[in-house]
Coordinates of all heavy atoms in Angstrom, one line a residue:
M1 N 61.3 76.6 -78.4 CA 61.4 77.8 -77.6 C 60.3 77.7 -76.4 O 60.6 78.1 -75.3 CB 61.2 79.0 -78.4 CG 61.4 80.3 -77.7 SD 63.1 80.4 -77.2 CE 63.1 82.0 -76.6
T2 N 59.1 77.2 -76.8 CA 58.1 77.1 -75.8 C 58.4 76.1 -74.7 O 58.1 76.3 -73.5 CB 56.8 76.6 -76.5 OG1 56.5 77.5 -77.5 CG2 55.6 76.6 -75.5
T3 N 59.1 75.0 -75.1 CA 59.6 74.0 -74.1 C 60.5 74.6 -73.1 O 60.4 74.3 -71.9 CB 60.2 72.8 -74.8 OG1 59.3 72.3 -75.8 CG2 60.6 71.7 -73.9
W4 N 61.4 75.4 -73.6 CA 62.4 76.1 -72.7 C 61.7 77.0 -71.7 O 62.0 77.1 -70.5 CB 63.5 76.8 -73.5 CG 64.4 75.9 -74.1 CD1 64.5 75.5 -75.4 CD2 65.5 75.2 -73.5 NE1 65.5 74.6 -75.6 CE2 66.1 74.4 -74.4 CE3 66.0 75.2 -72.2 CZ2 67.2 73.6 -74.1 CZ3 67.1 74.4 -71.9 CH2 67.7 73.6 -72.8
I5 N 60.8 77.8 -72.2 CA 60.1 78.7 -71.4 C 59.2 78.0 -70.3 O 59.2 78.3 -69.1 CB 59.2 79.6 -72.2 CG1 60.0 80.6 -73.1 CG2 58.2 80.5 -71.3 CD1 59.3 81.4 -74.1
A6 N 58.6 76.9 -70.7 CA 57.8 76.1 -69.8 C 58.8 75.4 -68.7 O 58.4 75.4 -67.5 CB 57.1 75.0 -70.5
A7 N 59.9 75.0 -69.1 CA 60.9 74.4 -68.2 C 61.4 75.4 -67.2 O 61.5 75.1 -66.0 CB 62.0 73.7 -68.9
V8 N 61.7 76.6 -67.7 CA 62.2 77.7 -66.8 C 61.1 78.1 -65.8 O 61.3 78.3 -64.6 CB 62.7 78.9 -67.6 CG1 62.9 80.1 -66.7 CG2 64.0 78.5 -68.3
A9 N 59.8 78.1 -66.3 CA 58.7 78.5 -65.4 C 58.5 77.4 -64.4 O 58.2 77.8 -63.2 CB 57.4 78.7 -66.3
V10 N 58.6 76.2 -64.7 CA 58.4 75.1 -63.7 C 59.5 75.1 -62.7 O 59.3 75.0 -61.5 CB 58.4 73.7 -64.4 CG1 58.5 72.6 -63.5 CG2 57.1 73.6 -65.2
L11 N 60.8 75.3 -63.2 CA 61.9 75.4 -62.2 C 61.7 76.7 -61.3 O 62.0 76.6 -60.1 CB 63.2 75.5 -63.0 CG 63.7 74.2 -63.6 CD1 64.9 74.5 -64.5 CD2 63.9 73.2 -62.6
A12 N 61.3 77.8 -61.9 CA 61.1 79.0 -61.0 C 60.0 78.8 -60.0 O 60.1 79.2 -58.8 CB 60.8 80.2 -61.9
A13 N 58.9 78.1 -60.4 CA 57.8 77.8 -59.5 C 58.3 76.9 -58.4 O 58.0 77.1 -57.2 CB 56.6 77.3 -60.2
G14 N 59.0 75.9 -58.8 CA 59.6 74.9 -57.8 C 60.5 75.6 -56.8 O 60.5 75.3 -55.6
Y15 N 61.4 76.5 -57.3 CA 62.3 77.2 -56.5 C 61.5 78.1 -55.5 O 61.8 78.2 -54.3 CB 63.3 78.0 -57.3 CG 64.2 78.9 -56.5 CD1 65.3 78.3 -55.8 CD2 64.0 80.3 -56.3 CE1 66.1 79.1 -55.1 CE2 64.8 81.0 -55.5 CZ 65.9 80.4 -54.9 OH 66.7 81.2 -54.1
G16 N 60.5 78.8 -56.0 CA 59.7 79.7 -55.2 C 59.0 78.9 -54.1 O 58.9 79.4 -53.0
L17 N 58.4 77.8 -54.4 CA 57.7 77.0 -53.4 C 58.7 76.4 -52.4 O 58.4 76.3 -51.2 CB 56.9 75.8 -54.1 CG 55.6 76.2 -54.7 CD1 55.1 75.0 -55.5 CD2 54.6 76.7 -53.7
G18 N 59.9 76.1 -52.9 CA 60.9 75.6 -52.0 C 61.4 76.7 -51.0 O 61.7 76.4 -49.8
R19 N 61.4 77.9 -51.4 CA 61.8 79.0 -50.5 C 60.7 79.4 -49.6 O 61.0 79.7 -48.4 CB 62.3 80.2 -51.4 CG 63.5 80.0 -52.2 CD 64.7 79.8 -51.4 NE 65.1 81.1 -50.8 CZ 66.0 81.2 -49.9 NH1 66.7 80.2 -49.5 NH2 66.3 82.4 -49.4
W20 N 59.5 79.3 -50.1 CA 58.3 79.8 -49.3 C 57.9 78.7 -48.3 O 57.5 79.0 -47.2 CB 57.2 80.1 -50.2 CG 56.0 80.7 -49.5 CD1 55.9 81.6 -48.5 CD2 54.6 80.3 -49.8 NE1 54.7 81.8 -48.2 CE2 53.8 81.1 -48.9 CE3 54.0 79.5 -50.7 CZ2 52.4 81.0 -49.0 CZ3 52.7 79.4 -50.7 CH2 51.9 80.1 -49.9
R21 N 58.1 77.4 -48.6 CA 57.8 76.3 -47.8 C 56.4 76.3 -47.2 O 56.2 76.3 -46.0 CB 58.8 76.2 -46.6 CG 60.2 76.0 -47.1 CD 61.2 76.0 -45.9 NE 62.5 76.0 -46.4 CZ 63.5 75.2 -46.0 NH1 63.2 74.4 -45.0 NH2 64.6 75.3 -46.5
P22 N 55.4 76.2 -48.1 CA 54.0 76.3 -47.6 C 53.6 75.0 -46.9 O 52.8 75.0 -46.0 CB 53.2 76.4 -48.9 CG 54.0 75.8 -50.0 CD 55.5 76.1 -49.6
W23 N 54.3 73.9 -47.2 CA 54.0 72.6 -46.5 C 54.4 72.7 -45.0 O 53.8 72.1 -44.1 CB 54.5 71.4 -47.2 CG 56.0 71.5 -47.3 CD1 57.0 71.1 -46.4 CD2 56.7 72.1 -48.4 NE1 58.2 71.4 -46.9 CE2 58.1 72.0 -48.1 CE3 56.4 72.7 -49.6 CZ2 59.1 72.5 -48.9 CZ3 57.4 73.2 -50.4 CH2 58.7 73.0 -50.1
M24 N 55.5 73.4 -44.7 CA 55.9 73.6 -43.3 C 54.9 74.4 -42.6 O 54.6 74.1 -41.4 CB 57.3 74.2 -43.3 CG 58.4 73.4 -43.9 SD 59.0 72.0 -42.9 CE 59.9 72.9 -41.7
R25 N 54.5 75.5 -43.2 CA 53.5 76.4 -42.5 C 52.2 75.6 -42.3 O 51.6 75.7 -41.2 CB 53.3 77.6 -43.3 CG 54.5 78.5 -43.4 CD 54.3 79.7 -44.3 NE 55.6 80.4 -44.4 CZ 55.6 81.6 -44.8 NH1 54.6 82.3 -45.0 NH2 56.8 82.2 -44.9
L26 N 51.8 74.9 -43.3 CA 50.5 74.1 -43.2 C 50.7 73.0 -42.1 O 49.8 72.8 -41.3 CB 50.2 73.5 -44.5 CG 48.8 72.9 -44.7 CD1 47.7 73.9 -44.5 CD2 48.7 72.3 -46.1
G27 N 51.8 72.4 -42.1 CA 52.1 71.4 -41.0 C 52.1 71.9 -39.6 O 51.6 71.4 -38.7
D28 N 52.7 73.1 -39.5 CA 52.7 73.8 -38.2 C 51.3 74.2 -37.8 O 51.0 74.0 -36.6 CB 53.6 75.0 -38.2 CG 55.1 74.7 -38.3 OD1 55.5 73.5 -38.1 OD2 55.9 75.6 -38.7
W29 N 50.5 74.6 -38.7 CA 49.1 75.0 -38.4 C 48.3 73.8 -38.0 O 47.6 73.8 -37.0 CB 48.5 75.7 -39.6 CG 47.1 76.0 -39.4 CD1 46.6 77.1 -38.7 CD2 45.9 75.2 -39.8 NE1 45.2 77.0 -38.7 CE2 44.8 75.9 -39.4 CE3 45.8 74.0 -40.5 CZ2 43.5 75.4 -39.6 CZ3 44.5 73.6 -40.7 CH2 43.4 74.2 -40.3
A30 N 48.5 72.7 -38.7 CA 47.7 71.5 -38.3 C 48.2 70.9 -37.0 O 47.4 70.5 -36.2 CB 48.0 70.4 -39.4
D31 N 49.5 71.0 -36.7 CA 50.0 70.6 -35.4 C 49.4 71.4 -34.3 O 49.0 70.9 -33.2 CB 51.5 70.7 -35.4 CG 52.1 70.1 -34.1 OD1 51.6 69.1 -33.6 OD2 53.2 70.6 -33.7
W32 N 49.4 72.7 -34.5 CA 48.8 73.7 -33.5 C 47.3 73.4 -33.3 O 46.8 73.4 -32.2 CB 49.0 75.1 -34.0 CG 48.5 76.1 -33.0 CD1 49.2 76.6 -31.9 CD2 47.2 76.7 -32.9 NE1 48.4 77.4 -31.2 CE2 47.2 77.5 -31.8 CE3 46.1 76.6 -33.7 CZ2 46.0 78.3 -31.5 CZ3 45.0 77.3 -33.4 CH2 45.0 78.2 -32.3
Q33 N 46.6 73.1 -34.4 CA 45.2 72.8 -34.3 C 44.9 71.5 -33.5 O 44.0 71.4 -32.7 CB 44.5 72.6 -35.7 CG 44.4 73.9 -36.4 CD 43.4 74.8 -35.8 OE1 42.3 74.4 -35.4 NE2 43.7 76.1 -35.7
L34 N 45.8 70.5 -33.7 CA 45.6 69.3 -32.9 C 46.0 69.4 -31.5 O 45.4 68.7 -30.6 CB 46.4 68.1 -33.6 CG 45.8 67.5 -34.8 CD1 46.8 66.5 -35.5 CD2 44.5 66.8 -34.5
R35 N 47.0 70.2 -31.2 CA 47.5 70.2 -29.8 C 46.8 71.3 -28.9 O 46.6 71.0 -27.8 CB 49.0 70.6 -29.8 CG 49.9 69.5 -30.3 CD 51.3 69.8 -30.2 NE 52.1 68.8 -30.7 CZ 53.4 68.6 -30.3 NH1 53.9 69.3 -29.4 NH2 54.1 67.6 -30.9
F36 N 46.6 72.5 -29.5 CA 46.2 73.6 -28.6 C 44.8 74.1 -28.9 O 44.4 75.1 -28.3 CB 47.2 74.7 -28.7 CG 48.6 74.3 -28.4 CD1 49.6 74.3 -29.4 CD2 48.9 73.9 -27.2 CE1 50.9 73.9 -29.2 CE2 50.2 73.5 -26.9 CZ 51.2 73.5 -27.9
H37 N 44.0 73.5 -29.8 CA 42.7 74.0 -30.1 C 41.8 73.6 -28.9 O 41.8 72.5 -28.5 CB 42.2 73.5 -31.4 CG 41.2 74.4 -32.0 ND1 39.9 74.2 -31.9 CD2 41.3 75.5 -32.8 CE1 39.2 75.1 -32.5 NE2 40.1 76.0 -33.1
L38 N 40.9 74.5 -28.5 CA 40.1 74.3 -27.3 C 39.1 73.2 -27.5 O 38.8 72.4 -26.6 CB 39.4 75.6 -26.9 CG 40.3 76.7 -26.5 CD1 39.5 78.0 -26.2 CD2 41.0 76.3 -25.2
D39 N 38.4 73.1 -28.7 CA 37.4 72.0 -28.9 C 37.9 70.8 -29.6 O 37.3 70.3 -30.5 CB 36.2 72.6 -29.6 CG 36.5 73.2 -30.9 OD1 37.7 73.3 -31.2 OD2 35.6 73.4 -31.7
R40 N 39.1 70.4 -29.3 CA 39.8 69.4 -30.1 C 39.1 68.0 -29.9 O 39.3 67.1 -30.7 CB 41.2 69.3 -29.8 CG 41.5 68.8 -28.4 CD 43.0 68.8 -28.1 NE 43.3 68.4 -26.8 CZ 44.5 68.2 -26.3 NH1 45.5 68.4 -27.1 NH2 44.7 67.9 -25.1
W41 N 38.3 67.8 -28.8 CA 37.7 66.5 -28.6 C 36.3 66.4 -29.1 O 35.6 65.5 -28.9 CB 37.7 66.2 -27.1 CG 39.1 66.1 -26.6 CD1 39.7 66.9 -25.7 CD2 40.1 65.1 -26.9 NE1 41.0 66.5 -25.5 CE2 41.3 65.4 -26.2 CE3 40.1 64.0 -27.8 CZ2 42.4 64.6 -26.3 CZ3 41.3 63.2 -27.9 CH2 42.4 63.6 -27.2
T42 N 35.8 67.5 -29.8 CA 34.4 67.5 -30.2 C 34.2 67.0 -31.6 O 33.1 66.6 -31.9 CB 33.9 69.0 -30.2 OG1 34.7 69.8 -31.0 CG2 33.9 69.5 -28.8
S43 N 35.2 66.9 -32.4 CA 35.0 66.4 -33.8 C 36.1 65.5 -34.2 O 37.2 65.8 -34.5 CB 35.1 67.7 -34.7 OG 35.1 67.3 -36.0
R44 N 35.8 64.2 -34.2 CA 36.7 63.2 -34.7 C 37.0 63.3 -36.1 O 38.2 63.1 -36.5 CB 36.2 61.8 -34.3 CG 36.1 61.5 -32.9 CD 37.4 61.4 -32.2 NE 37.3 61.0 -30.8 CZ 38.2 60.8 -30.0 NH1 39.5 60.9 -30.5 NH2 38.0 60.5 -28.8
P45 N 36.1 63.5 -37.0 CA 36.4 63.7 -38.4 C 37.4 64.9 -38.7 O 38.3 64.8 -39.5 CB 35.1 64.0 -39.1 CG 34.1 63.4 -38.3 CD 34.6 63.5 -36.9
R46 N 37.2 65.9 -37.9 CA 38.2 67.1 -38.0 C 39.6 66.7 -37.6 O 40.6 67.0 -38.2 CB 37.7 68.2 -37.1 CG 38.5 69.4 -37.1 CD 37.9 70.5 -36.3 NE 38.8 71.6 -36.1 CZ 39.7 71.6 -35.1 NH1 39.8 70.7 -34.2 NH2 40.5 72.7 -35.0
Q47 N 39.7 65.9 -36.5 CA 41.0 65.4 -36.1 C 41.6 64.5 -37.1 O 42.8 64.6 -37.4 CB 40.8 64.6 -34.8 CG 40.7 65.5 -33.6 CD 40.7 64.6 -32.3 OE1 40.8 63.4 -32.4 NE2 40.6 65.2 -31.2
A48 N 40.8 63.6 -37.8 CA 41.3 62.7 -38.8 C 41.9 63.5 -40.0 O 42.9 63.2 -40.5 CB 40.2 61.7 -39.2
V49 N 41.2 64.5 -40.4 CA 41.6 65.4 -41.5 C 42.9 66.1 -41.1 O 43.9 66.1 -41.9 CB 40.5 66.3 -41.9 CG1 41.1 67.4 -42.9 CG2 39.4 65.6 -42.6
L50 N 43.0 66.7 -39.9 CA 44.2 67.4 -39.5 C 45.3 66.4 -39.4 O 46.5 66.7 -39.7 CB 43.9 68.1 -38.2 CG 43.0 69.3 -38.3 CD1 42.7 69.8 -36.9 CD2 43.7 70.4 -39.1
F51 N 45.1 65.2 -38.9 CA 46.2 64.2 -38.7 C 46.7 63.8 -40.1 O 47.9 63.7 -40.3 CB 45.7 63.0 -37.9 CG 46.8 62.0 -37.7 CD1 47.9 62.3 -36.8 CD2 46.9 60.8 -38.5 CE1 48.9 61.4 -36.7 CE2 47.9 59.9 -38.3 CZ 48.9 60.2 -37.4
G52 N 45.8 63.6 -41.0 CA 46.2 63.3 -42.4 C 47.0 64.4 -43.0 O 48.0 64.1 -43.7
L53 N 46.6 65.6 -42.8 CA 47.3 66.8 -43.3 C 48.7 66.9 -42.7 O 49.7 67.1 -43.3 CB 46.5 68.1 -43.0 CG 47.1 69.4 -43.5 CD1 47.1 69.3 -45.0 CD2 46.2 70.5 -43.0
L54 N 48.8 66.6 -41.4 CA 50.1 66.6 -40.7 C 50.9 65.5 -41.2 O 52.1 65.6 -41.4 CB 49.9 66.5 -39.2 CG 51.0 66.8 -38.3 CD1 51.6 68.2 -38.5 CD2 50.7 66.6 -36.9
L55 N 50.3 64.3 -41.5 CA 51.1 63.2 -42.0 C 51.6 63.5 -43.4 O 52.7 63.1 -43.8 CB 50.2 61.9 -42.0 CG 50.9 60.6 -42.3 CD1 52.0 60.3 -41.3 CD2 49.9 59.5 -42.3
A56 N 50.8 64.2 -44.2 CA 51.2 64.5 -45.6 C 52.3 65.6 -45.6 O 53.2 65.6 -46.4 CB 50.0 65.0 -46.4
T57 N 52.3 66.5 -44.6 CA 53.2 67.7 -44.7 C 54.5 67.4 -43.9 O 55.6 67.9 -44.3 CB 52.6 68.9 -44.1 OG1 52.1 68.7 -42.8 CG2 51.5 69.4 -44.9
D58 N 54.5 66.5 -42.9 CA 55.7 66.2 -42.1 C 55.6 64.7 -41.7 O 55.4 64.4 -40.5 CB 55.8 67.1 -40.9 CG 57.2 67.1 -40.3 OD1 58.0 66.4 -40.8 OD2 57.4 67.8 -39.3
P59 N 55.8 63.8 -42.7 CA 55.6 62.4 -42.4 C 56.7 61.8 -41.4 O 56.3 61.0 -40.5 CB 55.7 61.7 -43.7 CG 56.5 62.6 -44.6 CD 56.2 64.0 -44.1
V60 N 57.9 62.3 -41.5 CA 59.0 61.7 -40.6 C 58.7 62.0 -39.1 O 58.7 61.1 -38.3 CB 60.3 62.2 -41.1 CG1 61.4 61.7 -40.1 CG2 60.6 61.8 -42.5
R61 N 58.5 63.3 -38.8 CA 58.3 63.6 -37.4 C 56.9 63.1 -36.9 O 56.8 62.7 -35.7 CB 58.4 65.1 -37.2 CG 59.8 65.6 -37.2 CD 59.9 67.0 -36.7 NE 59.1 67.9 -37.5 CZ 58.9 69.2 -37.2 NH1 59.4 69.7 -36.1 NH2 58.2 70.0 -38.0
T62 N 55.9 63.0 -37.8 CA 54.6 62.5 -37.3 C 54.7 61.1 -37.0 O 54.2 60.6 -36.0 CB 53.6 62.8 -38.4 OG1 53.5 64.2 -38.7 CG2 52.2 62.3 -38.0
V63 N 55.3 60.3 -37.8 CA 55.4 58.8 -37.6 C 56.3 58.6 -36.4 O 56.0 57.7 -35.5 CB 56.0 58.1 -38.8 CG1 56.3 56.7 -38.5 CG2 54.9 58.2 -40.0
R64 N 57.4 59.3 -36.2 CA 58.3 59.2 -35.1 C 57.5 59.5 -33.8 O 57.6 58.8 -32.8 CB 59.5 60.1 -35.2 CG 60.5 59.8 -34.0 CD 61.7 60.7 -34.1 NE 62.4 60.6 -35.4 CZ 62.8 61.6 -36.2 NH1 62.5 62.8 -35.8 NH2 63.4 61.4 -37.3
A65 N 56.7 60.6 -33.8 CA 55.9 60.9 -32.6 C 54.9 59.9 -32.3 O 54.6 59.5 -31.2 CB 55.3 62.3 -32.8
W66 N 54.3 59.3 -33.4 CA 53.2 58.3 -33.2 C 53.8 57.0 -32.6 O 53.2 56.4 -31.7 CB 52.6 58.0 -34.5 CG 51.5 57.0 -34.4 CD1 51.5 55.7 -34.7 CD2 50.1 57.3 -34.0 NE1 50.3 55.1 -34.5 CE2 49.4 56.1 -34.1 CE3 49.4 58.4 -33.6 CZ2 48.1 55.9 -33.7 CZ3 48.1 58.3 -33.3 CH2 47.5 57.1 -33.3
R67 N 55.0 56.7 -33.0 CA 55.7 55.4 -32.5 C 56.1 55.6 -31.1 O 56.2 54.6 -30.3 CB 56.8 55.1 -33.4 CG 56.4 54.5 -34.7 CD 57.7 54.0 -35.5 NE 57.3 53.5 -36.8 CZ 58.1 53.4 -37.8 NH1 59.3 53.7 -37.7 NH2 57.6 52.8 -38.9
H68 N 56.6 56.8 -30.7 CA 57.2 56.9 -29.4 C 56.3 57.7 -28.5 O 56.8 58.3 -27.5 CB 58.5 57.7 -29.6 CG 59.5 57.0 -30.4 ND1 60.2 55.8 -30.0 CD2 60.0 57.2 -31.7 CE1 61.0 55.4 -30.9 NE2 60.9 56.2 -32.0
R69 N 55.0 57.7 -28.7 CA 54.1 58.5 -27.8 C 54.0 57.9 -26.4 O 53.6 58.7 -25.5 CB 52.8 58.7 -28.5 CG 52.0 57.4 -28.6 CD 50.7 57.6 -29.5 NE 49.9 56.4 -29.5 CZ 50.1 55.3 -30.3 NH1 51.2 55.4 -31.1 NH2 49.3 54.3 -30.3
H70 N 54.2 56.6 -26.2 CA 54.1 56.1 -24.9 C 55.4 55.6 -24.3 O 55.4 54.8 -23.3 CB 53.1 54.9 -24.9 CG 51.7 55.2 -25.3 ND1 51.0 56.1 -24.5 CD2 50.9 54.9 -26.3 CE1 49.8 56.2 -25.1 NE2 49.7 55.5 -26.2
D71 N 56.5 56.1 -24.8 CA 57.8 55.8 -24.3 C 58.0 56.4 -22.9 O 57.4 57.5 -22.6 CB 58.9 56.3 -25.2 CG 59.1 55.5 -26.4 OD1 58.4 54.4 -26.6 OD2 59.9 55.9 -27.3
P72 N 58.7 55.7 -22.0 CA 58.9 56.4 -20.7 C 59.8 57.6 -20.8 O 60.6 57.6 -21.8 CB 59.6 55.3 -19.9 CG 60.2 54.3 -20.9 CD 59.3 54.4 -22.1
P73 N 59.8 58.5 -19.9 CA 60.6 59.7 -20.0 C 62.1 59.3 -19.8 O 62.4 58.3 -19.2 CB 60.1 60.6 -18.9 CG 59.4 59.7 -18.0 CD 58.8 58.6 -18.8
P74 N 63.0 60.1 -20.3 CA 64.4 59.7 -20.0 C 64.8 59.8 -18.5 O 64.1 60.5 -17.8 CB 65.2 60.8 -20.8 CG 64.2 61.9 -21.0 CD 62.9 61.3 -21.1
P75 N 65.7 59.1 -18.1 CA 66.1 59.1 -16.7 C 66.6 60.5 -16.3 O 67.2 61.2 -17.1 CB 67.2 58.0 -16.5 CG 67.7 57.9 -17.9 CD 66.6 58.2 -18.8
L76 N 66.4 60.8 -15.0 CA 66.8 62.1 -14.5 C 68.3 62.1 -14.2 O 68.9 61.0 -14.0 CB 66.1 62.5 -13.2 CG 64.6 62.6 -13.4 CD1 64.0 62.9 -12.0 CD2 64.3 63.8 -14.3
G77 N 68.9 63.2 -14.3 CA 70.4 63.3 -14.0 C 70.6 63.2 -12.5 O 69.6 63.2 -11.7
P78 N 71.8 63.1 -12.1 CA 72.1 63.1 -10.6 C 71.7 64.4 -10.0 O 71.6 65.4 -10.6 CB 73.6 62.9 -10.5 CG 74.1 63.3 -11.8 CD 73.0 63.1 -12.8
A79 N 71.4 64.3 -8.7 CA 71.0 65.5 -7.9 C 72.2 66.5 -7.8 O 73.4 66.1 -7.8 CB 70.6 65.1 -6.5
V80 N 71.9 67.7 -7.8 CA 72.9 68.8 -7.7 C 73.5 68.8 -6.3 O 72.7 68.7 -5.3 CB 72.2 70.1 -8.0 CG1 73.3 71.3 -7.8 CG2 71.7 70.1 -9.4
R81 N 74.8 68.8 -6.2 CA 75.4 68.9 -4.9 C 75.8 70.3 -4.6 O 76.5 70.9 -5.4 CB 76.7 68.0 -4.9 CG 76.3 66.5 -5.0 CD 77.5 65.6 -5.0 NE 78.2 65.8 -3.7 CZ 79.4 65.4 -3.4 NH1 80.1 64.8 -4.4 NH2 79.9 65.5 -2.2
I82 N 75.4 70.8 -3.4 CA 75.7 72.1 -3.1 C 76.7 72.1 -1.9 O 76.4 71.5 -0.9 CB 74.5 72.9 -2.6 CG1 73.5 73.0 -3.8 CG2 74.8 74.3 -2.2 CD1 72.2 73.6 -3.5
R83 N 77.9 72.7 -2.1 CA 78.9 72.7 -1.0 C 78.5 73.7 0.0 O 78.1 74.9 -0.3 CB 80.3 73.0 -1.6 CG 80.8 71.9 -2.4 CD 82.1 72.2 -3.0 NE 83.0 72.8 -2.0 CZ 84.1 73.5 -2.3 NH1 84.4 73.7 -3.5 NH2 84.8 74.1 -1.4
N84 N 78.7 73.4 1.2 CA 78.4 74.3 2.3 C 79.8 74.8 2.8 O 80.6 74.1 3.4 CB 77.7 73.6 3.5 CG 77.3 74.6 4.6 OD1 77.4 75.8 4.4 ND2 76.9 74.0 5.7
I85 N 80.0 76.1 2.5 CA 81.3 76.7 2.9 C 81.1 77.5 4.1 O 80.3 78.4 4.2 CB 81.9 77.6 1.8 CG1 82.1 76.8 0.5 CG2 83.1 78.3 2.2 CD1 82.5 77.6 -0.7
T86 N 81.8 77.1 5.2 CA 81.8 77.9 6.4 C 83.0 78.7 6.6 O 84.0 78.6 5.8 CB 81.6 76.9 7.6 OG1 82.7 76.0 7.7 CG2 80.3 76.1 7.5
E87 N 83.1 79.5 7.6 CA 84.2 80.3 7.9 C 85.5 79.5 8.2 O 86.6 79.9 7.9 CB 83.9 81.3 9.0 CG 82.9 82.3 8.6 CD 82.6 83.3 9.7 OE1 83.4 83.4 10.7 OE2 81.6 83.9 9.7
E88 N 85.3 78.3 8.8 CA 86.5 77.5 9.2 C 87.2 76.9 7.9 O 88.3 76.7 8.0 CB 86.0 76.4 10.1 CG 85.4 76.9 11.4 CD 84.8 75.8 12.2 OE1 84.8 74.6 11.7 OE2 84.3 76.0 13.3
E89 N 86.4 76.6 6.9 CA 87.0 76.0 5.7 C 87.7 77.0 4.8 O 88.4 76.6 3.9 CB 85.9 75.3 4.9 CG 85.3 74.1 5.7 CD 84.2 73.4 4.9 OE1 83.9 73.9 3.7 OE2 83.6 72.5 5.4
Q90 N 87.6 78.3 5.0 CA 88.2 79.2 4.1 C 89.6 79.3 4.3 O 90.5 79.3 4.5 CB 87.5 80.6 4.2 CG 86.1 80.6 3.7 CD 85.5 81.9 3.9 OE1 86.0 82.9 4.4 NE2 84.2 82.0 3.4

């Protein structure tokens, strides 16, 4: 009986964490700290810890951003053409 109660408690805790998604919130906070914090260049150890936290909470997007950080921007689309309608063409 104790095993069943423990299993149900573990499943309920896993479900609760899955719904709450604390790693997403923690990853968003670390991303905000790295991008928009005013004194981001003053502490390299702080940056390393935040980057490690971001890598642990969202590894796929972090590695993708790291690999493609120096890619050239995508090409621009064609220029917009504006028709000039005069009274004679109507």
Side-chain angles (χ1 to χ4, degrees):
M1 186 67 170
T2 306
T3 306
W4 286 101
I5 292 174
V8 168
V10 167
L11 287 174
Y15 177 78
L17 284 174
R19 296 291 289 172
W20 185 41
R21 299 177 187 225
W23 58 89
M24 296 284 285
R25 295 176 187 202
L26 190 60
D28 290 344
W29 176 82
D31 186 32
W32 183 84
Q33 289 291 318
L34 281 174
R35 288 184 185 208
F36 305 114
H37 205 266
L38 294 177
D39 61 346
R40 65 182 181 177
W41 298 111
T42 59
S43 172
R44 295 289 183 178
R46 179 178 171 272
Q47 281 186 358
V49 169
L50 287 171
F51 182 74
L53 184 63
L54 192 59
L55 188 61
T57 55
D58 195 2
V60 174
R61 284 195 299 172
T62 303
V63 169
R64 185 181 304 132
W66 183 262
R67 284 184 181 161
H68 299 289
R69 68 189 182 279
H70 294 300
D71 287 353
L76 298 175
V80 178
R81 295 181 62 194
I82 300 174
R83 290 180 42 201
N84 187 9
I85 300 176
T86 61
E87 292 180 17
E88 297 172 0
E89 295 178 3
Q90 291 180 356

